[in-house]
Structures are given as structure tokens and as C-alpha cells.
């Protein structure tokens, strides 16, 4: 979840939004929002949904990069021997499981609106 909070902060900064701006839109204090980004306060799905809406980003931008890393890309390129193919299959199965979890989370977010 720390990575998600970090992504929220990075996206907020890219859009030149201050913490105060987001806090005001959420109807909370600057300090309360600051605690969300720093991880001092647990981020609920409802609050995450509100922040995603304020930042005007697709949830995939918040969750997507969590699934892939540079090692994954390197692994995909090396599938000439059977061992690498098995590793690649395992990698995709793990990725599918993670994506299914993200889908369920997003469904919950949608249904709570």
C-alpha cells in the first residue's frame, strides 16, 4: 500500500496540485491528508476512490506499475530454453492472480459510489 500512496503523491505533484488543494476537495484538513500520503493514516477504499477522482486518473495508473518490474521485462525476452518458459508461465500466472485481486478491489470501489 505504501507504493500506492507514493504514486498518489507523485501524480498529485505532476498535476501541480498541493496537498492543501486535495485536502480541501476531500473536505479534510491539510494535516489529515498529509498523514494519508505519509502512511500515518490507513487509506480506505472510499478515500482512495475519492482521491483518484480528484486527481482525475484511471485506477490502473495507481495499481498498474505494482505488477511489473524491470526484471519481468528481461525475463520475457529470454524464453529460448524450457526452464525459462516454465518461469515465464509461473510469472504470468502470478500476474493474473494479482490482476484478479485488483479487479475485485476496483469492483468494490465502483459499487460503493
Amino acid at each position: 500500500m505504501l507504493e500506492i500512496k507514493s504514486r498518489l503523491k507523485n501524480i498529485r505533484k505532476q498535476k501541480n496540485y498541493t496537498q492543501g488543494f486535495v485536502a480541501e476537495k476531500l473536505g479534510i484538513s491539510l494535516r489529515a491528508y498529509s498523514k494519508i500520503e505519509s502512511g500515518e493514516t490507513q487509506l480506505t477504499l472510499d478515500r482512495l476512490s475519492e482521491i483518484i477522482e480528484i486527481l482525475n486518473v484511471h485506477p490502473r495508473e495507481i495499481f498498474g506499475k505494482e505488477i511489473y518490474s524491470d526484471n519481468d521485462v528481461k525475463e520475457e525476452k529470454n524464453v529460448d530454453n524450457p526452464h525459462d518458459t516454465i518461469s515465464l508461465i509461473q510469472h504470468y500466472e502470478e500476474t493474473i492472480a494479482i490482476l484478479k485481486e485488483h479487479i475485485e478491489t476496483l469492483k468494490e470501489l465502483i459499487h460503493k459510489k
Side-chain angles (χ1 to χ4, degrees):
M1 196 62 125
L2 186 59
E3 289 181 24
I4 290 171
K5 292 172 187 171
S6 177
R7 286 192 198 112
L8 290 174
K9 181 178 181 177
N10 289 336
I11 291 169
R12 175 184 58 76
K13 287 183 172 187
Q14 287 172 357
K15 293 184 175 271
N16 292 319
Y17 293 164
T18 64
Q19 285 186 335
F21 172 81
V22 178
E24 182 180 321
K25 292 287 188 182
L26 291 171
I28 61 176
S29 70
L30 171 61
R31 179 70 183 133
Y33 183 74
S34 176
K35 285 182 175 184
I36 290 172
E37 280 191 4
S38 69
E40 293 176 57
T41 299
Q42 186 171 349
L43 183 60
T44 65
L45 289 177
D46 288 337
R47 186 63 76 195
L48 177 59
S49 177
E50 291 173 326
I51 294 169
I52 287 171
E53 190 173 314
I54 291 166
L55 296 177
N56 193 28
V57 295
H58 193 281
R60 193 175 332 146
E61 292 182 57
I62 305 301
F63 296 109
K65 293 179 184 176
E66 197 167 86
I67 298 168
Y68 302 104
S69 70
D70 290 339
N71 291 337
D72 298 336
V73 174
K74 290 174 191 167
E75 184 177 342
E76 288 179 23
K77 291 179 184 176
N78 189 13
V79 292
D80 292 333
N81 75 47
H83 176 70
D84 288 339
T85 302
I86 292 169
S87 294
L88 185 60
I89 291 169
Q90 290 171 340
H91 163 73
Y92 280 124
E93 288 173 343
E94 291 169 4
T95 301
I96 290 168
I98 292 169
L99 287 170
K100 285 180 180 180
E101 289 177 22
H102 289 300
I103 289 169
E104 291 305 313
T105 301
L106 293 172
K107 283 180 182 177
E108 290 178 23
L109 285 170
I110 290 168
H111 294 300
K112 288 187 178 188
K113 285 192 172 189

